[in-house]
Amino acid sequence: MLRARKPINSSKEEIIEEKPTIRENFQHYLMNASLHGLKYMGDTTMSLFERCFFVVSFVVVFVLSGYFISNVWQKWSETPIIISINPIGIPLTTIPFPAVTICNMNQARISAARIALKGSLEDSMLDSLCGSSKEFKSNNNSTGRWSQLKRFLMNASQPCSETLIFCRFASKTVPCMDIFWSSLTDDGLCCTFNTVHPDFMFHTTINDNMWELEGSNANYSKGVPIDWTPETGYPKEMPENAFPRQAAGTGHDMGLTVGLNCDVSNYYCSSTNSYGFKILLHAPTQTPKVKNFGFFVAPGTEVRVVVNPRINTASEMIRRVPIEQRQCVFANERNLSYFRTYTQENCEMECESLIVSKQCGCILYYMPKTTADAEICSLKDAKCYEMILASLVFNNSSHSCSCLPACYEIDYERRSSTSPLGVGKFLLRENFLKKYSRDFAMDNIAVVHLYFVENTIHSYTKGELIGFTDFLSSTGGLLGLFMGFSVVSLVEMFYYISMRPHCSKRIQQNPNATQKVTPTFVAWKPDSLSVKRNLRNRQAGMYLYPYCE
C-alpha cells in the first residue's frame, strides 16, 4: 500500500503517518495477495455483482479443496501402512536355522506309572499329565507345587538322550545332546534344537528350562550363546560354535538330520490317539506351542521337510504411526515380565499364565513361573482354566491379551514328504539304522531331514503408505490447483496480521515527528485512470511513498 505525503510549512518537512485502519489493511491484502481471485474482491473499480461473483467462486473452490484434502487425510490416518516385498534379497546364511522342538507323544513312561501309589501326589500328577477323568479323592486333589512336579516330570518323561539316537547338522555328525536342549512345552517335556540360551530367553532366575543342570547332561557343551533377536540379528563377528546356529546352506546335506526312538513299549498314555512324535519349527526366541501346531511323524518312516522362511521387517518411519494402526510392536515398545524378547507367542503365554493364575489360583505346568513354589493346576481346576483358554482363543471381551505381532519376526513354513523305512530289506545310507531289527525300527524309529532349498529370501516390509511428506505434497498440490496457495501465501498472511501493523506503529511513534496530518489513501494502479489521479495528487502537494521504510 502507498500512502500520501503532504508538505508542511517549515524549513524541514516532517512526515507523520497514521496507522491504517483494518479495512484499509485488508483491502490492501486483497489487492496484493498471491491467492487466486482475491484481487478481484478488493478492486473497488468493479461492480458489486462482479465482486460477489468472485467471492462465491472463491468460497466454492475453498470448500472443494477442503473436501479433497479430507479424503487424503482419511487415507493417511486410516490406512497408513503398506506391506511390500523387499526387492533386495537376504542371504540365507545370515538368518538362523529354525528352532526344532521334538516331542514324544508319550506323556509318561509305564515304569514311572507303576511306582505311583494310588491316592498319592505322584498319582495325582500322573492323572494331570495324562488327562484322566476319574474322580478325585480328598487326599488326591492337587498336583502340588512346581518344584515337586518338575522332579516327577524328569522321572516320568523319556529323556532326550534316549529319544535322540542320531544327529547330523551341516554334514557333520554330532552328539545329539551337544546341540539339543530339554525344554518344557504345552505337550510335556520335549527336546529343542537351536533355541537361544535360557539366559537370553528369560528375565527371571527361576528358569524352568535349565533341565541339564540336574542330571547327566550337565557336562555337555552347547557352544557359545549369542543374544540373537529378529530385530538386532547376529553380531558382525561370530564364534565358530555360536548358537542359535546360522543356516549353513541349501539341500539335504546342509540341513539337520535326526534319528528318533519313541520306545513304544514304554508308553503309558499318549497326548493324542496315536504314538510317534510331534515336531514344531519356530523362531529361536519363540515359545513352542507343540500341542496345537506341531506336525506328526510316525515311526517306521523317513520324512523330508523343506523349510521356507518368512521374514517380516519394518521401516523405522512407521515408529511414529500409532501401534493400533500399524498393528505391530517394536522390541523396545513393550517389555514382558518373564520373557526377554517380545514375540506374539511369548506375550500370549505370559498373558494366559497371568489370567489363569488370577482366576483359578494356579497355573498350568508349562506356563511361565516366577517362583519355585507356584501352585500347579490339577484336573479339579480343568473347568476353570479350559474356559479361560477357550475365551482367549475366541477373543472374548472378558479375557483379552491384546498381543500384536512383532514388527520384526521370522516364521518357518514347511512342506513334507514321507516314505517307509527299508530297515532289514537292503543296504541303507544311514549306518546307525543297521543295529536295529526291522520290527523294532518299524515300531519305534523315525528319520527326519530338515533343510532349505533357496539361497536368497525376500522379506516382507511394513512401510508407510502415505508419509508426512506425501501428505504435505498432496495437500499443497490440491491447494495450489484450486487456490494458487503456496508457502508464500502464509508469509503474506503473517505479514499483514503482525508485521505491517507493527511497522506502522513504529513510524507513528517517531520522535522526530512534529505534526500529524491525515493522509489520503491512494491505491495506485498502472492504468490510465490511476496515472491521472497520481498527477492530480502531485499537483496538490501529495506524494506517494512506501508505507514502511
Side-chain angles (χ1 to χ4, degrees), residues 23 51 91 101 206 233 244 259 309 341 351-352 361 453 473 548:
R23 178 181 178 183
R51 297 171 69 182
T101 298
I206 306 298
T341 303
C351 176
E352 290 171 2
V453 294
S473 300
C548 185

PDB file of all heavy atoms in Angstrom, residues 23 51 91 101 206 233 244 259 309 341 351-352 361 453 473 548:
ATOM      1  N   ARG A  23      -9.798  -2.014   7.737  1.00  0.00           N
ATOM      2  CA  ARG A  23     -10.397  -2.123   6.403  1.00  0.00           C
ATOM      3  C   ARG A  23      -9.374  -1.824   5.326  1.00  0.00           C
ATOM      4  O   ARG A  23      -9.305  -2.522   4.305  1.00  0.00           O
ATOM      5  CB  ARG A  23     -11.579  -1.153   6.304  1.00  0.00           C
ATOM      6  CG  ARG A  23     -12.247  -1.163   4.943  1.00  0.00           C
ATOM      7  CD  ARG A  23     -13.398  -0.177   4.898  1.00  0.00           C
ATOM      8  NE  ARG A  23     -13.995  -0.165   3.566  1.00  0.00           N
ATOM      9  CZ  ARG A  23     -14.990   0.640   3.209  1.00  0.00           C
ATOM     10  NH1 ARG A  23     -15.500   1.496   4.121  1.00  0.00           N
ATOM     11  NH2 ARG A  23     -15.480   0.590   1.991  1.00  0.00           N
ATOM     12  N   ARG A  51     -17.792  -8.413  -7.910  1.00  0.00           N
ATOM     13  CA  ARG A  51     -17.030  -8.763  -6.715  1.00  0.00           C
ATOM     14  C   ARG A  51     -17.701  -9.906  -5.953  1.00  0.00           C
ATOM     15  O   ARG A  51     -17.027 -10.807  -5.447  1.00  0.00           O
ATOM     16  CB  ARG A  51     -16.865  -7.533  -5.829  1.00  0.00           C
ATOM     17  CG  ARG A  51     -16.055  -6.424  -6.510  1.00  0.00           C
ATOM     18  CD  ARG A  51     -16.091  -5.126  -5.722  1.00  0.00           C
ATOM     19  NE  ARG A  51     -15.345  -5.242  -4.479  1.00  0.00           N
ATOM     20  CZ  ARG A  51     -15.246  -4.249  -3.588  1.00  0.00           C
ATOM     21  NH1 ARG A  51     -15.883  -3.089  -3.832  1.00  0.00           N
ATOM     22  NH2 ARG A  51     -14.555  -4.398  -2.493  1.00  0.00           N
ATOM     23  N   PRO A  91      20.590 -62.935   2.197  1.00  0.00           N
ATOM     24  CA  PRO A  91      21.300 -64.217   2.063  1.00  0.00           C
ATOM     25  C   PRO A  91      20.847 -65.215   3.122  1.00  0.00           C
ATOM     26  O   PRO A  91      20.628 -64.864   4.285  1.00  0.00           O
ATOM     27  CB  PRO A  91      22.775 -63.822   2.249  1.00  0.00           C
ATOM     28  CG  PRO A  91      22.828 -62.362   1.944  1.00  0.00           C
ATOM     29  CD  PRO A  91      21.500 -61.797   2.383  1.00  0.00           C
ATOM     30  N   THR A 101      11.586 -78.257  17.791  1.00  0.00           N
ATOM     31  CA  THR A 101      11.156 -78.886  19.037  1.00  0.00           C
ATOM     32  C   THR A 101      10.511 -80.228  18.719  1.00  0.00           C
ATOM     33  O   THR A 101       9.560 -80.287  17.932  1.00  0.00           O
ATOM     34  CB  THR A 101      10.181 -77.990  19.805  1.00  0.00           C
ATOM     35  OG1 THR A 101      10.841 -76.774  20.168  1.00  0.00           O
ATOM     36  CG2 THR A 101       9.697 -78.669  21.072  1.00  0.00           C
ATOM     37  N   ILE A 206      14.343 -67.944  38.099  1.00  0.00           N
ATOM     38  CA  ILE A 206      13.640 -69.222  38.279  1.00  0.00           C
ATOM     39  C   ILE A 206      13.381 -69.778  36.898  1.00  0.00           C
ATOM     40  O   ILE A 206      12.348 -69.546  36.286  1.00  0.00           O
ATOM     41  CB  ILE A 206      12.319 -69.039  39.051  1.00  0.00           C
ATOM     42  CG1 ILE A 206      12.589 -68.316  40.362  1.00  0.00           C
ATOM     43  CG2 ILE A 206      11.652 -70.378  39.296  1.00  0.00           C
ATOM     44  CD1 ILE A 206      13.503 -69.072  41.297  1.00  0.00           C
ATOM     45  N   GLY A 233      19.394 -59.156  15.024  1.00  0.00           N
ATOM     46  CA  GLY A 233      20.136 -60.096  14.202  1.00  0.00           C
ATOM     47  C   GLY A 233      21.412 -60.574  14.878  1.00  0.00           C
ATOM     48  O   GLY A 233      21.590 -60.491  16.093  1.00  0.00           O
ATOM     49  N   PRO A 244      22.122 -69.393  18.709  1.00  0.00           N
ATOM     50  CA  PRO A 244      21.489 -70.222  17.677  1.00  0.00           C
ATOM     51  C   PRO A 244      22.276 -70.221  16.369  1.00  0.00           C
ATOM     52  O   PRO A 244      22.761 -69.179  15.929  1.00  0.00           O
ATOM     53  CB  PRO A 244      20.100 -69.592  17.508  1.00  0.00           C
ATOM     54  CG  PRO A 244      20.213 -68.217  18.059  1.00  0.00           C
ATOM     55  CD  PRO A 244      21.257 -68.254  19.104  1.00  0.00           C
ATOM     56  N   GLY A 259      17.693 -88.953  14.053  1.00  0.00           N
ATOM     57  CA  GLY A 259      17.068 -90.252  14.213  1.00  0.00           C
ATOM     58  C   GLY A 259      16.363 -90.301  15.555  1.00  0.00           C
ATOM     59  O   GLY A 259      16.927 -89.897  16.584  1.00  0.00           O
ATOM     60  N   PRO A 309      11.580 -70.031   5.012  1.00  0.00           N
ATOM     61  CA  PRO A 309      11.488 -68.947   6.000  1.00  0.00           C
ATOM     62  C   PRO A 309      10.673 -67.777   5.471  1.00  0.00           C
ATOM     63  O   PRO A 309      10.721 -67.440   4.280  1.00  0.00           O
ATOM     64  CB  PRO A 309      12.949 -68.541   6.224  1.00  0.00           C
ATOM     65  CG  PRO A 309      13.645 -68.936   4.969  1.00  0.00           C
ATOM     66  CD  PRO A 309      12.931 -70.142   4.437  1.00  0.00           C
ATOM     67  N   THR A 341      12.576 -61.304  25.119  1.00  0.00           N
ATOM     68  CA  THR A 341      12.295 -60.857  23.757  1.00  0.00           C
ATOM     69  C   THR A 341      10.802 -60.901  23.504  1.00  0.00           C
ATOM     70  O   THR A 341      10.153 -61.918  23.775  1.00  0.00           O
ATOM     71  CB  THR A 341      13.018 -61.741  22.730  1.00  0.00           C
ATOM     72  OG1 THR A 341      14.422 -61.727  23.003  1.00  0.00           O
ATOM     73  CG2 THR A 341      12.782 -61.227  21.311  1.00  0.00           C
ATOM     74  N   CYS A 351       0.470 -63.777  29.165  1.00  0.00           N
ATOM     75  CA  CYS A 351      -0.871 -63.282  29.473  1.00  0.00           C
ATOM     76  C   CYS A 351      -1.767 -64.419  29.965  1.00  0.00           C
ATOM     77  O   CYS A 351      -2.515 -64.254  30.934  1.00  0.00           O
ATOM     78  CB  CYS A 351      -1.467 -62.613  28.238  1.00  0.00           C
ATOM     79  SG  CYS A 351      -3.164 -62.053  28.420  1.00  0.00           S
ATOM     80  N   GLU A 352      -1.709 -65.570  29.298  1.00  0.00           N
ATOM     81  CA  GLU A 352      -2.507 -66.726  29.723  1.00  0.00           C
ATOM     82  C   GLU A 352      -2.152 -67.129  31.150  1.00  0.00           C
ATOM     83  O   GLU A 352      -3.037 -67.436  31.964  1.00  0.00           O
ATOM     84  CB  GLU A 352      -2.275 -67.893  28.763  1.00  0.00           C
ATOM     85  CG  GLU A 352      -2.863 -67.688  27.382  1.00  0.00           C
ATOM     86  CD  GLU A 352      -2.434 -68.758  26.402  1.00  0.00           C
ATOM     87  OE1 GLU A 352      -1.698 -69.684  26.850  1.00  0.00           O
ATOM     88  OE2 GLU A 352      -2.797 -68.689  25.221  1.00  0.00           O
ATOM     89  N   GLY A 361      -6.329 -69.472  40.680  1.00  0.00           N
ATOM     90  CA  GLY A 361      -5.461 -69.662  41.836  1.00  0.00           C
ATOM     91  C   GLY A 361      -4.342 -70.652  41.609  1.00  0.00           C
ATOM     92  O   GLY A 361      -3.711 -71.116  42.563  1.00  0.00           O
ATOM     93  N   VAL A 453      15.855 -74.818   0.567  1.00  0.00           N
ATOM     94  CA  VAL A 453      16.032 -75.041  -0.873  1.00  0.00           C
ATOM     95  C   VAL A 453      16.373 -73.755  -1.623  1.00  0.00           C
ATOM     96  O   VAL A 453      16.712 -73.803  -2.798  1.00  0.00           O
ATOM     97  CB  VAL A 453      14.759 -75.660  -1.497  1.00  0.00           C
ATOM     98  CG1 VAL A 453      14.525 -77.054  -0.941  1.00  0.00           C
ATOM     99  CG2 VAL A 453      13.536 -74.787  -1.264  1.00  0.00           C
ATOM    100  N   SER A 473       2.692 -33.005   0.293  1.00  0.00           N
ATOM    101  CA  SER A 473       2.733 -32.754  -1.154  1.00  0.00           C
ATOM    102  C   SER A 473       1.336 -32.813  -1.757  1.00  0.00           C
ATOM    103  O   SER A 473       0.964 -31.965  -2.590  1.00  0.00           O
ATOM    104  CB  SER A 473       3.640 -33.790  -1.833  1.00  0.00           C
ATOM    105  OG  SER A 473       4.949 -33.715  -1.333  1.00  0.00           O
ATOM    106  N   CYS A 548       6.260   1.377   4.867  1.00  0.00           N
ATOM    107  CA  CYS A 548       7.238   1.157   5.933  1.00  0.00           C
ATOM    108  C   CYS A 548       8.619   1.199   5.336  1.00  0.00           C
ATOM    109  O   CYS A 548       8.993   0.344   4.555  1.00  0.00           O
ATOM    110  CB  CYS A 548       6.994  -0.184   6.609  1.00  0.00           C
ATOM    111  SG  CYS A 548       8.060  -0.467   8.012  1.00  0.00           S
TER     112      CYS A 548
END
